PDB file of all heavy atoms in Angstrom:
ATOM      1  N   LEU A 910      64.898  89.349  61.129  1.00  0.00           N
ATOM      2  CA  LEU A 910      63.559  89.962  61.256  1.00  0.00           C
ATOM      3  C   LEU A 910      63.112  90.154  62.548  1.00  0.00           C
ATOM      4  O   LEU A 910      62.488  91.192  62.937  1.00  0.00           O
ATOM      5  CB  LEU A 910      62.496  89.099  60.301  1.00  0.00           C
ATOM      6  CG  LEU A 910      62.612  88.995  58.873  1.00  0.00           C
ATOM      7  CD1 LEU A 910      61.702  87.838  58.421  1.00  0.00           C
ATOM      8  CD2 LEU A 910      62.341  90.278  58.212  1.00  0.00           C
ATOM      9  N   SER A 911      63.430  89.186  63.505  1.00  0.00           N
ATOM     10  CA  SER A 911      62.868  89.306  64.840  1.00  0.00           C
ATOM     11  C   SER A 911      63.672  90.475  65.644  1.00  0.00           C
ATOM     12  O   SER A 911      63.117  90.973  66.509  1.00  0.00           O
ATOM     13  CB  SER A 911      63.117  87.955  65.482  1.00  0.00           C
ATOM     14  OG  SER A 911      64.569  87.677  65.860  1.00  0.00           O
ATOM     15  N   ALA A 912      64.813  90.729  65.076  1.00  0.00           N
ATOM     16  CA  ALA A 912      65.540  91.836  65.635  1.00  0.00           C
ATOM     17  C   ALA A 912      65.240  93.189  65.032  1.00  0.00           C
ATOM     18  O   ALA A 912      65.727  94.162  65.592  1.00  0.00           O
ATOM     19  CB  ALA A 912      67.084  91.506  65.500  1.00  0.00           C
ATOM     20  N   GLY A 913      64.374  93.156  64.100  1.00  0.00           N
ATOM     21  CA  GLY A 913      63.937  94.470  63.495  1.00  0.00           C
ATOM     22  C   GLY A 913      65.029  95.064  62.676  1.00  0.00           C
ATOM     23  O   GLY A 913      65.079  96.329  62.564  1.00  0.00           O
ATOM     24  N   MET A 914      65.768  94.274  62.025  1.00  0.00           N
ATOM     25  CA  MET A 914      67.013  94.847  61.342  1.00  0.00           C
ATOM     26  C   MET A 914      66.951  94.468  59.821  1.00  0.00           C
ATOM     27  O   MET A 914      68.061  94.569  59.119  1.00  0.00           O
ATOM     28  CB  MET A 914      68.371  94.250  61.973  1.00  0.00           C
ATOM     29  CG  MET A 914      68.617  94.982  63.303  1.00  0.00           C
ATOM     30  SD  MET A 914      70.379  94.784  63.696  1.00  0.00           S
ATOM     31  CE  MET A 914      70.366  95.991  65.160  1.00  0.00           C
ATOM     32  N   ALA A 915      65.912  94.149  59.384  1.00  0.00           N
ATOM     33  CA  ALA A 915      65.822  93.768  57.798  1.00  0.00           C
ATOM     34  C   ALA A 915      66.179  94.936  56.917  1.00  0.00           C
ATOM     35  O   ALA A 915      66.585  94.752  55.851  1.00  0.00           O
ATOM     36  CB  ALA A 915      64.404  93.303  57.581  1.00  0.00           C
ATOM     37  N   ASP A 916      65.984  96.193  57.450  1.00  0.00           N
ATOM     38  CA  ASP A 916      66.304  97.387  56.662  1.00  0.00           C
ATOM     39  C   ASP A 916      67.849  97.632  56.652  1.00  0.00           C
ATOM     40  O   ASP A 916      68.231  98.497  55.844  1.00  0.00           O
ATOM     41  CB  ASP A 916      65.432  98.556  57.143  1.00  0.00           C
ATOM     42  CG  ASP A 916      65.792  98.837  58.546  1.00  0.00           C
ATOM     43  OD1 ASP A 916      66.196  97.990  59.285  1.00  0.00           O
ATOM     44  OD2 ASP A 916      65.666 100.044  58.934  1.00  0.00           O
ATOM     45  N   LYS A 917      68.544  97.053  57.627  1.00  0.00           N
ATOM     46  CA  LYS A 917      69.932  97.329  57.689  1.00  0.00           C
ATOM     47  C   LYS A 917      70.963  96.171  57.204  1.00  0.00           C
ATOM     48  O   LYS A 917      72.093  96.414  56.779  1.00  0.00           O
ATOM     49  CB  LYS A 917      70.248  97.648  59.117  1.00  0.00           C
ATOM     50  CG  LYS A 917      69.613  98.793  59.736  1.00  0.00           C
ATOM     51  CD  LYS A 917      70.125  99.084  61.160  1.00  0.00           C
ATOM     52  CE  LYS A 917      69.481 100.288  61.852  1.00  0.00           C
ATOM     53  NZ  LYS A 917      69.943 100.429  63.181  1.00  0.00           N
ATOM     54  N   ILE A 918      70.329  94.969  57.235  1.00  0.00           N
ATOM     55  CA  ILE A 918      71.058  93.768  57.017  1.00  0.00           C
ATOM     56  C   ILE A 918      70.764  93.193  55.690  1.00  0.00           C
ATOM     57  O   ILE A 918      69.495  92.926  55.460  1.00  0.00           O
ATOM     58  CB  ILE A 918      70.996  92.781  58.073  1.00  0.00           C
ATOM     59  CG1 ILE A 918      71.685  93.301  59.516  1.00  0.00           C
ATOM     60  CG2 ILE A 918      71.842  91.461  57.756  1.00  0.00           C
ATOM     61  CD1 ILE A 918      71.431  92.480  60.589  1.00  0.00           C
ATOM     62  N   HIS A 919      71.647  92.995  54.786  1.00  0.00           N
ATOM     63  CA  HIS A 919      71.391  92.320  53.464  1.00  0.00           C
ATOM     64  C   HIS A 919      72.045  90.912  53.454  1.00  0.00           C
ATOM     65  O   HIS A 919      73.260  90.842  53.623  1.00  0.00           O
ATOM     66  CB  HIS A 919      71.849  93.111  52.367  1.00  0.00           C
ATOM     67  CG  HIS A 919      71.334  94.573  52.334  1.00  0.00           C
ATOM     68  ND1 HIS A 919      70.185  94.924  51.625  1.00  0.00           N
ATOM     69  CD2 HIS A 919      71.841  95.726  52.979  1.00  0.00           C
ATOM     70  CE1 HIS A 919      70.068  96.310  51.852  1.00  0.00           C
ATOM     71  NE2 HIS A 919      70.948  96.731  52.612  1.00  0.00           N
ATOM     72  N   LEU A 920      71.082  89.945  53.309  1.00  0.00           N
ATOM     73  CA  LEU A 920      71.772  88.559  53.272  1.00  0.00           C
ATOM     74  C   LEU A 920      71.948  87.964  51.942  1.00  0.00           C
ATOM     75  O   LEU A 920      70.993  88.052  51.099  1.00  0.00           O
ATOM     76  CB  LEU A 920      70.822  87.688  54.016  1.00  0.00           C
ATOM     77  CG  LEU A 920      71.054  86.191  54.196  1.00  0.00           C
ATOM     78  CD1 LEU A 920      72.401  85.903  54.839  1.00  0.00           C
ATOM     79  CD2 LEU A 920      69.885  85.469  54.838  1.00  0.00           C
ATOM     80  N   HIS A 921      73.166  87.535  51.611  1.00  0.00           N
ATOM     81  CA  HIS A 921      73.588  87.068  50.386  1.00  0.00           C
ATOM     82  C   HIS A 921      73.725  85.429  50.570  1.00  0.00           C
ATOM     83  O   HIS A 921      74.417  85.080  51.577  1.00  0.00           O
ATOM     84  CB  HIS A 921      74.764  87.649  49.799  1.00  0.00           C
ATOM     85  CG  HIS A 921      74.655  89.149  49.686  1.00  0.00           C
ATOM     86  ND1 HIS A 921      74.179  89.771  48.593  1.00  0.00           N
ATOM     87  CD2 HIS A 921      74.889  90.057  50.570  1.00  0.00           C
ATOM     88  CE1 HIS A 921      74.218  91.100  48.720  1.00  0.00           C
ATOM     89  NE2 HIS A 921      74.705  91.418  49.918  1.00  0.00           N
ATOM     90  N   ARG A 922      73.311  84.660  49.572  1.00  0.00           N
ATOM     91  CA  ARG A 922      73.476  83.315  49.692  1.00  0.00           C
ATOM     92  C   ARG A 922      74.276  82.741  48.600  1.00  0.00           C
ATOM     93  O   ARG A 922      74.224  83.158  47.480  1.00  0.00           O
ATOM     94  CB  ARG A 922      71.985  82.482  49.514  1.00  0.00           C
ATOM     95  CG  ARG A 922      71.055  82.930  50.570  1.00  0.00           C
ATOM     96  CD  ARG A 922      69.702  82.447  50.216  1.00  0.00           C
ATOM     97  NE  ARG A 922      68.631  82.933  51.140  1.00  0.00           N
ATOM     98  CZ  ARG A 922      68.017  82.179  52.119  1.00  0.00           C
ATOM     99  NH1 ARG A 922      68.235  80.827  52.030  1.00  0.00           N
ATOM    100  NH2 ARG A 922      67.168  82.515  52.844  1.00  0.00           N
ATOM    101  N   GLY A 923      75.212  81.855  48.930  1.00  0.00           N
ATOM    102  CA  GLY A 923      76.285  81.409  47.922  1.00  0.00           C
ATOM    103  C   GLY A 923      77.571  81.398  48.369  1.00  0.00           C
ATOM    104  O   GLY A 923      78.015  81.526  49.539  1.00  0.00           O
ATOM    105  N   ASP A 924      78.540  81.265  47.377  1.00  0.00           N
ATOM    106  CA  ASP A 924      79.972  81.142  47.714  1.00  0.00           C
ATOM    107  C   ASP A 924      80.527  82.565  47.852  1.00  0.00           C
ATOM    108  O   ASP A 924      80.569  83.368  46.971  1.00  0.00           O
ATOM    109  CB  ASP A 924      80.683  80.518  46.330  1.00  0.00           C
ATOM    110  CG  ASP A 924      82.061  80.258  46.647  1.00  0.00           C
ATOM    111  OD1 ASP A 924      82.765  80.811  47.440  1.00  0.00           O
ATOM    112  OD2 ASP A 924      82.672  79.466  45.782  1.00  0.00           O
ATOM    113  N   ALA A 925      81.066  82.776  49.004  1.00  0.00           N
ATOM    114  CA  ALA A 925      81.656  84.220  49.499  1.00  0.00           C
ATOM    115  C   ALA A 925      82.748  84.498  48.512  1.00  0.00           C
ATOM    116  O   ALA A 925      82.923  85.702  48.293  1.00  0.00           O
ATOM    117  CB  ALA A 925      82.058  84.158  50.900  1.00  0.00           C
ATOM    118  N   ARG A 926      83.498  83.624  47.958  1.00  0.00           N
ATOM    119  CA  ARG A 926      84.621  83.962  47.266  1.00  0.00           C
ATOM    120  C   ARG A 926      84.220  84.659  45.968  1.00  0.00           C
ATOM    121  O   ARG A 926      84.809  85.603  45.427  1.00  0.00           O
ATOM    122  CB  ARG A 926      85.533  82.703  46.889  1.00  0.00           C
ATOM    123  CG  ARG A 926      86.251  82.109  48.065  1.00  0.00           C
ATOM    124  CD  ARG A 926      86.832  80.739  47.778  1.00  0.00           C
ATOM    125  NE  ARG A 926      85.716  79.928  47.609  1.00  0.00           N
ATOM    126  CZ  ARG A 926      85.908  78.572  47.321  1.00  0.00           C
ATOM    127  NH1 ARG A 926      87.178  78.032  47.410  1.00  0.00           N
ATOM    128  NH2 ARG A 926      85.002  77.733  47.207  1.00  0.00           N
ATOM    129  N   GLN A 927      83.021  84.300  45.443  1.00  0.00           N
ATOM    130  CA  GLN A 927      82.397  85.038  44.286  1.00  0.00           C
ATOM    131  C   GLN A 927      81.724  86.262  44.530  1.00  0.00           C
ATOM    132  O   GLN A 927      81.791  87.240  44.021  1.00  0.00           O
ATOM    133  CB  GLN A 927      81.564  83.995  43.554  1.00  0.00           C
ATOM    134  CG  GLN A 927      80.839  84.577  42.270  1.00  0.00           C
ATOM    135  CD  GLN A 927      82.116  85.096  41.224  1.00  0.00           C
ATOM    136  OE1 GLN A 927      83.132  84.507  41.070  1.00  0.00           O
ATOM    137  NE2 GLN A 927      81.857  86.147  40.566  1.00  0.00           N
TER     138      GLN A 927
END
Side-chain angles (χ1 to χ4, degrees):
L910 288 172
S911 70
M914 290 200 170
D916 60 332
K917 296 181 179 181
I918 298 177
H919 304 271
L920 176 61
H921 305 268
R922 300 167 186 252
D924 187 340
R926 289 168 296 185
Q927 181 59 38

